[in-house]
Amino acid sequence: MDSWSKMMEWKQLADKYMNQSFFPNFEDQNKAAGPHINLYESEHELLCVASLPGLKNMDDVEVYVYQNAVKLIGNTSFHIKGMSIRQNEIYQGRFEREISLPYSVREDPIDAYYRKGLLCIRLYRLLTDERKKKKVEIKNEDE
């Protein structure tokens, strides 16, 4: 048995003894983070990619872009009919996530699209940043 398996066995015993999770803050912090994000950068362009599996309605997610940040607000959920969850690692539920950008971005153009469980937001570098938040429309490319 490797050391990770031993630690998980010990954690299960501690959970049972305490009648609650032994690492509640660690687990809650991981779940509260919401969707996982990758941020890609080129000289004048950023691509923000959020993992949002099972999103059926684009209105379930709002994207706001302002100065040097992107804010995602939404709700994701999916259920398998006739089954209950045994292990839950794919984030589900309400989320609010703000991503800091390495530089300010333009208000136009901003392209957002959803494909194969990923929300992609393409942004372009701004030379000046005297503007307000802009809500971004998401196109569903799975349909």
Side-chain angles (χ1 to χ4, degrees):
M1 185 184 291
D2 65 10
S3 58
W4 181 255
S5 297
K6 286 180 184 177
M7 187 186 96
M8 292 310 292
E9 185 177 297
W10 177 84
K11 182 193 175 309
Q12 288 174 341
L13 290 172
D15 290 351
K16 187 174 181 180
Y17 176 76
M18 295 175 65
N19 200 25
Q20 65 182 15
S21 178
F22 189 71
F23 299 113
N25 291 338
F26 174 75
E27 290 173 357
D28 290 343
Q29 182 181 18
N30 191 27
K31 286 184 180 179
H36 290 109
I37 304 291
N38 283 3
L39 187 62
Y40 301 93
E41 176 182 18
S42 68
E43 188 176 346
H44 298 290
E45 192 174 330
L46 293 171
L47 180 63
C48 181
V49 180
S51 176
L52 291 170
L55 187 63
K56 295 196 183 344
N57 186 349
M58 297 305 107
D59 291 335
D60 287 344
V61 177
E62 295 178 5
V63 177
Y64 295 96
V65 176
Y66 52 101
Q67 294 180 356
N68 60 344
V70 173
K71 188 169 194 174
L72 305 175
I73 301 170
N75 190 24
T76 60
S77 67
F78 47 93
H79 304 283
I80 307 300
K81 200 172 194 173
M83 301 185 108
S84 60
I85 250 180
R86 177 76 175 161
Q87 184 168 333
N88 188 19
E89 294 181 4
I90 299 172
Y91 184 81
Q92 295 184 73
R94 175 130 179 84
F95 63 86
E96 189 168 320
R97 180 92 194 265
E98 188 164 319
I99 301 96
S100 295
L101 304 174
Y103 49 77
S104 293
V105 294
R106 294 173 46 184
E107 184 175 323
D108 285 314
I110 297 174
D111 299 312
Y113 56 92
Y114 181 77
R115 183 185 302 151
K116 297 184 181 181
L118 299 174
L119 173 61
C120 301
I121 307 158
R122 187 171 300 277
L123 307 156
Y124 301 91
R125 185 184 289 262
L126 176 70
L127 300 177
T128 62
D129 65 359
E130 299 172 7
R131 61 202 160 71
K132 298 180 181 183
K133 293 181 189 179
K134 177 185 177 184
K135 185 174 177 181
V136 178
E137 181 183 334
I138 303 167
K139 301 172 207 135
N140 186 353
E141 293 193 354
D142 282 340
E143 294 177 353

